Amino acid sequence: MEMLWNGLEQMLDSMWHAIPKIILGLVILGVGSYLVKLVLKVIRRRLEKRDVELSLRGFLLSVVKATLYIILLIVVAATMGFQVAGIATIFASAGLAIGLALQGSLSNFAGGVLVLLFKPFKVGDYISNPSGTEGTVERIDLLYTTLTGPTGLKIFSPNGPLANSVITNYSEITSRRHDFVVGIGYNENIKEAQNVIFAALAKHKAVLQSPEPIVFVSNLGDSSVDLNVRTWIGKADYWNTVFEIQQIIKVALDEANIEIPFPQRDLHIVSDKTK
């Protein structure tokens, strides 16, 4: 009986000594919760001021909130006298295991954060990269970017490789240059052919005159003198104009009776006559 009483007395004594730590821990919990909300409010305003994407904004706030509360709970537990070293070790081990298991997804996630934060492109932009990804950006998520290709197909590109590659953003320009080759016969007058092409280009409203179109000899081929036609076109009219100007140049050269030759081979027959 006496041993039971001594044990109860020691337990009550330990609880009595722990009361100040418990009170202090609760105070820290209350003050810490207020500070966490204040920090989140400041971060939210900063993200709104920088016009960060809504999907990234919500995610970052969630991550910061979870991190701050975990730190707060660890501090409170340590203040109350709990052993937090073991808990921290468990969290670290679990985080390492999850990181190794989701290595590829984490790479895509990091790429998505970079894309949403630095905005090399946005929804509605037409982009391409060396890996062959090309299309209009329809949606930017944290793991994948959805594009609509030139043929209307949906393309889902992982953000990791996309963020680490060279991205060409065609929507960030006001005009695009288009080059194509027109061959004329060796018997034709090069200067006349150039003037005919310039006149045809000047009639098309979408072909910009500043910078001016350029037509120059780019190659002396087997069957033709190749003229490189270089024009600048407004991005909104680019695709339609690319095909139209080739047609109007062909018509203009035909009307001027300037030959556009096709590949041909001259055959010489040597006859060995015997007497």
Side-chain angles (χ1 to χ4, degrees):
M1 188 67 179
E2 184 177 355
M3 292 179 61
L4 179 61
W5 177 255
N6 290 335
L8 183 60
E9 190 177 47
Q10 289 178 0
M11 185 179 65
L12 292 174
D13 187 58
S14 299
M15 291 178 59
W16 177 258
H17 288 293
I19 289 176
K21 294 182 180 180
I22 295 174
I23 295 175
L24 180 59
L26 294 175
V27 171
I28 293 175
L29 180 62
V31 174
S33 298
Y34 173 78
L35 292 176
V36 168
K37 293 178 181 178
L38 184 63
V39 170
L40 292 175
K41 187 176 182 180
V42 172
I43 294 176
R44 184 180 293 107
R45 288 181 177 177
R46 294 294 298 176
L47 294 176
E48 291 174 353
K49 187 176 180 180
R50 296 190 61 178
D51 194 27
V52 177
E53 293 285 343
L54 288 176
S55 55
L56 178 59
R57 192 185 308 173
F59 176 79
L60 289 177
L61 287 173
S62 299
V63 171
V64 172
K65 182 179 180 180
T67 303
L68 291 177
Y69 273 114
I70 289 175
I71 294 174
L72 177 60
L73 291 176
I74 292 175
V75 171
V76 171
T79 303
M80 290 183 175
F82 292 98
Q83 297 294 326
V84 297
I87 299 176
T89 302
I90 293 174
F91 274 114
S93 301
L96 179 60
I98 294 173
L100 292 174
L102 301 177
Q103 187 174 0
S105 297
L106 289 176
S107 174
N108 291 333
F109 164 74
V113 172
L114 292 175
V115 168
L116 290 170
L117 190 60
F118 294 102
K119 299 182 179 179
F121 55 84
K122 59 184 182 296
V123 173
D125 287 353
Y126 191 93
I127 66 171
S128 69
N129 70 352
S131 66
T133 300
E134 181 176 358
T136 301
V137 179
E138 182 179 303
R139 181 186 177 93
I140 304 174
D141 293 317
L142 288 174
L143 296 180
Y144 288 87
T145 293
T146 305
L147 303 97
T148 301
T151 59
L153 296 176
K154 296 294 181 184
I155 302 171
F156 299 92
S157 176
N159 286 331
L162 188 62
N164 292 319
S165 65
V166 177
I167 299 173
T168 302
N169 190 332
Y170 298 97
S171 299
E172 291 297 320
I173 57 175
T174 57
S175 61
R176 288 180 60 181
R177 195 183 82 185
H178 175 61
D179 288 47
F180 64 97
V181 176
V182 177
I184 62 172
Y186 272 92
N187 294 327
E188 304 298 339
N189 187 302
I190 295 176
K191 190 64 177 178
E192 181 184 355
Q194 289 174 322
N195 291 334
V196 170
I197 294 173
F198 281 131
L201 293 174
K203 295 178 182 178
H204 201 297
K205 296 180 179 180
V207 177
L208 303 180
Q209 297 304 313
S210 180
E212 294 181 352
I214 302 175
V215 181
F216 58 92
V217 177
S218 61
N219 182 48
L220 299 177
D222 295 335
S223 304
S224 65
V225 176
D226 296 333
L227 301 180
N228 189 299
V229 182
R230 178 173 296 172
T231 60
W232 289 88
I233 306 168
K235 69 175 183 179
D237 305 313
Y238 181 80
W239 289 111
N240 290 334
T241 307
V242 162
F243 303 110
E244 291 173 357
I245 59 178
Q246 296 185 60
Q247 179 177 337
I248 64 174
I249 288 176
K250 171 64 168 65
V251 172
L253 291 175
D254 288 344
E255 292 176 349
N257 294 319
I258 296 176
E259 179 190 8
I260 302 178
F262 53 86
Q264 53 188 305
R265 185 184 300 272
D266 293 333
L267 182 62
H268 300 274
I269 301 177
V270 178
S271 177
D272 184 12
K273 297 181 179 181
T274 60
K275 294 181 180 181

